[in-house]
Amino acid sequence: MRELFEESGVGMTQLKSRLMTFLMFLVPVLMVPGYTNAKEPSEAEIKEMIQEQFERMYQKGVDDLEDRIVITGGVKPFAVVTDTGDKTKTIRIKQIEEMPADLAIEVLRRSLIALVKKGKIGATAVFYTAANPNKESEADRVLVVEMEHIFGPTLAQLVPFNVTDGKARFGEQVVVEMEKKIFNINVGEESEE
């Protein structure tokens, strides 16, 4: 298996740059067929909008976790969402800070589903850290970013990392398609809140 870390490590700027480049190529592949009605946005316009929203959510999330990941070696689950007005917002639930990680992720997802059912959000990015499932890796933790869009594209980014000498060093990211976890509901249903 190839080494996950370069000699000097990969910094946050490089990590952001890599994802942005990858998203430029992945979103068109994941995109569902476009609309045929001339009054609707074109397929290219929808793809561009989704890509821009994913990039904004990712950037906001990484900026938010950068200091936390160095101080604590991880972050409790939080989300960055794009609302129906195309505004990007961070969502943190105070009670999650005291919960075990797996329960915290489930509570966050259910909260996001409730917002989707109310028609409040159109895209989500859930950020959390977990133990690295690759036991052969030098990194013992991974940053997980699960991104979903109401128009279809879903992807998960896994980035191994270590925190040494007060700096987070990130390895090579792996980006994969994933099953919908937030937008797999009937939006017209009543919220359970």
Side-chain angles (χ1 to χ4, degrees):
M1 174 164 196
R2 66 184 167 149
E3 282 195 32
L4 291 175
F5 293 97
E6 297 175 354
E7 187 67 28
S8 63
V10 177
M12 292 299 276
T13 303
Q14 290 173 316
L15 180 65
K16 293 172 193 173
S17 175
R18 286 181 185 171
L19 180 68
M20 296 310 118
T21 302
F22 185 80
L23 284 173
M24 288 181 355
F25 296 105
L26 182 64
V27 169
V29 172
L30 294 176
M31 192 57 217
V32 294
Y35 297 102
T36 56
N37 186 344
K39 294 179 184 176
E40 297 291 327
S42 71
E43 184 176 343
E45 290 170 329
I46 292 172
K47 288 177 185 179
E48 184 177 332
M49 176 197 64
I50 292 169
Q51 182 175 331
E52 288 172 3
Q53 289 176 346
F54 276 1
E55 288 174 5
R56 279 197 325 258
M57 290 186 306
Y58 182 81
Q59 182 67 47
K60 186 171 183 74
V62 169
D63 290 346
D64 189 40
L65 68 79
E66 194 167 4
D67 291 334
R68 292 174 187 249
I69 210 166
V70 170
I71 294 169
T72 65
V75 291
K76 286 289 188 171
F78 71 96
V80 177
V81 301
T82 299
D83 66 18
T84 53
D86 201 32
K87 299 220 184 309
T88 305
K89 301 175 183 179
T90 300
I91 297 178
R92 288 190 178 278
I93 301 172
K94 185 177 181 181
Q95 296 84 349
I96 283 180
E97 298 296 323
E98 307 301 321
M99 294 179 187
D102 57 341
L103 180 59
I105 294 167
E106 186 60 29
V107 168
L108 179 62
R109 285 184 184 138
R110 287 179 186 223
S111 298
L112 294 172
I113 289 168
L115 291 172
V116 168
K117 286 180 178 180
K118 291 179 179 180
K120 303 272 185 192
I121 56 176
T124 62
V126 175
F127 292 78
Y128 59 94
T129 53
N132 190 345
N134 181 359
K135 301 301 178 201
E136 297 176 11
S137 172
E138 293 177 26
D140 57 344
R141 310 279 298 158
V142 291
L143 169 64
V144 180
V145 184
E146 298 174 352
M147 292 189 265
E148 295 185 48
H149 201 280
I150 197 164
F151 289 144
T154 60
L155 59 96
Q157 176 190 15
L158 307 167
V159 186
F161 73 93
N162 280 330
V163 177
T164 52
D165 300 327
K167 293 190 178 189
R169 302 220 188 285
F170 295 87
E172 289 295 320
Q173 68 184 4
V174 176
V175 180
V176 296
E177 288 185 53
M178 63 176 219
E179 289 185 26
K180 291 183 177 191
K181 296 179 180 182
I182 308 298
F183 290 99
N184 63 347
I185 48 96
N186 182 350
V187 178
E189 293 176 0
E190 284 287 319
S191 174
E192 295 177 11
E193 279 193 351

